[in-house]
Amino acid sequence: LAEMSTTTPKTSPSFGTKRQKNLNARIAEMNKPPLPRLTATMNAPLCIRARFQSFLSGKSKQPDYDARDWLRTVVFAPRNIRGFENIRNPWLCVQFVTILWVLFTKIIEPKPLKTFSEQLSKVESVYLIMFSTLGFLIVFRLTRAAVRFWDCRQAWGNMVIYSRCVADALMVRAEEVQMDCNKSEEVTREIVAACDDCVAWCAAFAVSSKQFLRGIDALPKEELLGVLSEEDVNKLQKSPHQPMFCYSMMRRCSSRIYVTYRHSQKSEMREMHETIRDESGRSELSKYLQGLITQEGALERLRATKLPQIYVAHLRTFLILYCFSIPFVYAMNWGWATIPATAIATFALMGVEGAAMECEIPFDANRANHLRMDQYCETIVNSCALLAQWGGEEQAKKELNGGRREAITEESIDEECERMTVVAANEGDNGGVDQSKDTTSTSLYETTREEMNRRLSISKEHVTLDVLNTNATPTEFTPAGAAFGIEGAGSAMSGISITPQNELTSQSLENIAETLKTG
């Protein structure tokens, strides 16, 4: 490319200038230093601190409480906990009417009003029947609101699960590509960068969903610090539907991750195996991404759909009539106590309706009883950062997969025997000089060698039996068993040593041993 950029093409000046610009752009892109991995930006101390402070400011508006503390939940509960602003106007109207009626009956005492009040007090039994029906309607209303609240919380919980699955699958894919020797360095870098980008957009999906459900257009850039670049944040800010934009970016990243790179050095069989593996990974990632957008769509549905208005209107009509009629029915019997009694009774009934109103669409950031979406978003972002750290740092991968569970091989027997011999000799040495130390070391070495050989032979027998016993019943005569001269080789008990069900003979064992030596 450098040589081509210095030559002058034998074409028109306009075509030559355009070609020169394209070549210069490609050269600049190739010489550009590689971008840092996502784990380096998300797990930077400054970014972690900024995201923590931003999420903390949102969580402080919706504090948690201890359900076992009755004193704090009943007496010292904050004012915004009870949702009194939802029922303030109708409750005050009922109290005003109650005070006026009690004053009329106790101070002015006009005879027509007194007679009317005495007649209303006689329908108390009918009034109790109406109260029972009204209580059933109110409880049903509150139950439906609680179900909607739990559906919203469950959708956010599923989003946390799907986000973790997406981040984990992408980090595993990046590690697989880095271990693939058949892919060029440029292709590996492109796929790893696409994996990091998809994880970053997955974290941004949660934050944008939170803002979209709350009806807030502005994105908190501190919560995306170290996740997206400033240019990407500005693009997301201008989008009319921010969660959908993040989902679209994740889909495009997935197309870059599982794109097929063909090389002439590959065989057809290897290309087929790689295609099958890529399609399996693409299907898995698509399932997780579809789960994310499905849960976000469920939250949008709950936000846009309320309880049918006819039910709410019917319930509130009879609720208002009942509350306003309390002083007219009981004023003659209760006297001045009608005022506090009516206030308590109406607050209890209207408070249930207010609680249902509070839980019906629980997406407000300034209401203490609504969903703590800042906490859920922080969980998703921190999960993505942690999975990116485990899959992006070489030292972290070495600590997690240090190769401590390797299989016993012929080459490692001598090293293992020497190590075990030295350990046993050091444990038996009391500090003095022993004349039989060499003899003891030799005997320990021989004993250890025999033990390792025995383990190796058992391991080989188990592997052979696993191959023979796959997908067979105890009474079948499999082709694999016929190849070794074994009848009934297909035991349902895979991975065990010699049993009567295997019916192994000495000749078949010799055949197996000979095959393992040659193969």
Side-chain angles (χ1 to χ4, degrees):
L1 290 175
E3 293 177 358
M4 292 175 64
S5 63
T6 57
T7 60
T8 304
K10 299 178 181 180
T11 55
S12 61
S14 60
F15 179 79
T17 304
K18 184 177 180 181
R19 186 179 181 184
Q20 183 73 24
K21 290 181 180 179
N22 292 336
L23 290 174
N24 293 336
R26 292 181 63 184
I27 292 172
E29 185 177 356
M30 292 178 62
N31 294 331
K32 187 186 299 183
L35 295 175
R37 291 295 304 274
L38 181 64
T39 178
T41 57
M42 288 191 70
N43 295 296
L46 180 62
C47 298
I48 294 175
R49 190 179 302 112
R51 292 199 303 267
F52 175 77
Q53 293 293 337
S54 179
F55 285 123
L56 183 63
S57 62
K59 292 188 296 183
S60 61
K61 299 178 182 178
Q62 298 171 322
D64 201 358
Y65 72 98
D66 186 6
R68 298 171 297 181
D69 192 349
W70 282 72
L71 187 63
R72 187 173 297 275
T73 54
V74 175
V75 181
F76 300 105
R79 290 191 308 172
N80 59 348
I81 292 295
R82 297 188 180 276
F84 179 72
E85 61 274 8
N86 296 329
I87 60 171
R88 177 178 52 198
N89 294 334
W91 185 81
L92 291 177
C93 290
V94 171
Q95 303 316 306
F96 179 73
V97 172
T98 302
I99 293 173
L100 287 181
W101 181 253
V102 171
L103 289 176
F104 276 140
T105 56
K106 292 298 181 182
I107 298 178
I108 303 177
E109 292 186 358
K111 188 174 182 180
L113 290 178
K114 186 175 181 180
T115 305
F116 177 70
S117 180
E118 291 176 353
Q119 292 177 354
L120 286 177
S121 61
K122 297 178 181 179
V123 298
E124 184 177 354
S125 58
V126 180
Y127 199 70
L128 293 176
I129 296 175
M130 182 180 174
F131 175 77
S132 301
T133 306
L134 184 64
F136 173 77
L137 294 176
I138 292 176
V139 170
F140 180 78
R141 163 92 161 114
L142 182 61
T143 303
R144 298 310 304 169
V147 169
R148 289 171 57 90
F149 183 89
W150 177 248
D151 288 343
C152 295
R153 179 62 185 92
Q154 190 175 18
W156 269 106
N158 293 333
M159 286 180 63
V160 173
I161 295 173
Y162 281 120
S163 299
R164 289 172 175 173
C165 292
V166 168
D168 183 65
L170 291 170
M171 290 298 102
V172 171
R173 171 62 177 172
E175 189 172 352
E176 289 177 354
V177 172
Q178 289 175 338
M179 293 187 297
D180 193 351
C181 302
N182 295 307
K183 285 185 171 58
S184 63
E185 183 179 353
E186 182 180 359
V187 171
T188 301
R189 185 169 60 251
E190 288 292 334
I191 295 179
V192 171
C195 291
D196 287 346
D197 292 343
C198 193
V199 174
W201 284 112
C202 180
F205 179 83
V207 177
S208 61
S209 298
K210 176 195 67 173
Q211 299 297 104
F212 184 79
L213 292 171
R214 287 176 174 174
I216 303 175
D217 295 331
L219 283 174
K221 296 184 178 181
E222 295 81 5
E223 297 179 6
L224 298 176
L225 192 61
V227 180
L228 296 180
S229 63
E230 186 176 358
E231 180 182 359
D232 291 336
V233 173
N234 293 332
K235 291 180 181 178
L236 181 60
Q237 182 73 52
K238 297 177 182 178
S239 174
H241 196 293
Q242 297 170 356
M244 188 67 69
F245 183 83
C246 294
Y247 175 74
S248 177
M249 291 297 104
M250 286 190 286
R251 293 289 296 176
R252 280 152 179 77
C253 290
S254 66
S255 64
R256 291 160 48 200
I257 293 169
Y258 293 103
V259 67
T260 303
Y261 296 93
R262 299 189 179 276
H263 303 282
S264 58
Q265 294 83 358
K266 288 184 179 180
S267 63
E268 295 182 359
M269 183 62 68
R270 180 171 181 81
E271 286 186 358
M272 183 180 66
H273 289 170
E274 185 173 348
T275 302
I276 294 174
R277 184 187 63 183
D278 290 351
E279 287 299 324
S280 176
R282 188 197 302 270
S283 176
E284 180 186 10
L285 183 59
S286 298
K287 180 181 68 174
Y288 296 148
L289 296 180
Q290 184 179 1
L292 276 177
I293 198 65
T294 301
Q295 300 304 321
E296 198 274 337
L299 291 170
E300 288 187 21
R301 170 177 55 82
L302 291 168
R303 177 176 176 266
T305 307
K306 301 178 181 178
L307 202 65
Q309 187 175 3
I310 183 174
Y311 184 84
V312 177
H314 183 77
L315 171 64
R316 290 182 178 179
T317 300
F318 282 92
L319 180 62
I320 290 296
L321 290 177
Y322 182 85
C323 292
F324 272 103
S325 60
I326 290 178
F328 296 99
V329 175
Y330 294 101
M332 294 299 298
N333 297 329
W334 295 349
W336 292 105
T338 306
I339 298 176
T342 304
I344 297 174
T346 54
F347 182 78
L349 293 174
M350 292 184 178
V352 177
E353 171 64 16
M357 294 171 56
E358 188 82 5
C359 301
E360 192 172 12
I361 304 178
F363 300 123
D364 198 333
N366 298 317
R367 292 186 176 272
N369 297 296
H370 284 199
L371 291 174
R372 306 181 67 191
M373 293 192 291
D374 292 278
Q375 180 181 359
Y376 311 149
C377 291
E378 184 181 20
T379 301
I380 292 176
V381 173
N382 291 342
S383 298
C384 291
L386 191 60
L387 290 169
Q389 180 182 4
W390 290 342
E393 291 184 355
E394 295 297 330
Q395 184 62 29
K397 288 189 290 187
K398 289 180 180 179
E399 293 175 356
L400 291 175
N401 303 317
R404 293 180 294 273
R405 300 175 181 85
E406 68 232 293
I408 300 176
T409 59
E410 293 277 5
E411 292 78 9
S412 62
I413 288 182
D414 291 334
E415 297 179 1
E416 185 70 16
C417 291
E418 293 178 1
R419 187 187 65 81
M420 294 175 65
T421 302
V422 171
V423 171
N426 291 335
E427 290 178 355
D429 191 5
N430 295 326
V433 179
D434 192 355
Q435 297 295 334
S436 62
K437 185 176 182 180
D438 294 338
T439 304
T440 304
S441 300
T442 303
S443 61
L444 285 173
Y445 180 84
E446 292 176 353
T447 304
T448 306
R449 175 77 184 190
E450 293 177 357
E451 177 64 19
M452 297 300 293
N453 285 330
R454 186 184 68 82
R455 294 182 185 179
L456 182 62
S457 62
I458 292 176
S459 177
K460 288 182 177 180
E461 290 176 2
H462 285 193
V463 170
T464 306
L465 291 178
D466 282 338
V467 174
L468 297 178
N469 297 335
T470 304
N471 299 328
T473 59
T475 59
E476 291 177 347
F477 182 77
T478 62
F484 289 101
I486 305 174
E487 294 182 359
S491 174
M493 302 175 63
S494 176
I496 61 172
S497 57
I498 301 174
T499 59
Q501 288 81 0
N502 294 122
E503 298 182 7
L504 299 177
T505 62
S506 60
Q507 181 65 30
S508 63
L509 288 176
E510 291 176 1
N511 294 336
I512 294 173
E514 187 66 22
T515 304
L516 290 175
K517 289 180 181 179
T518 58

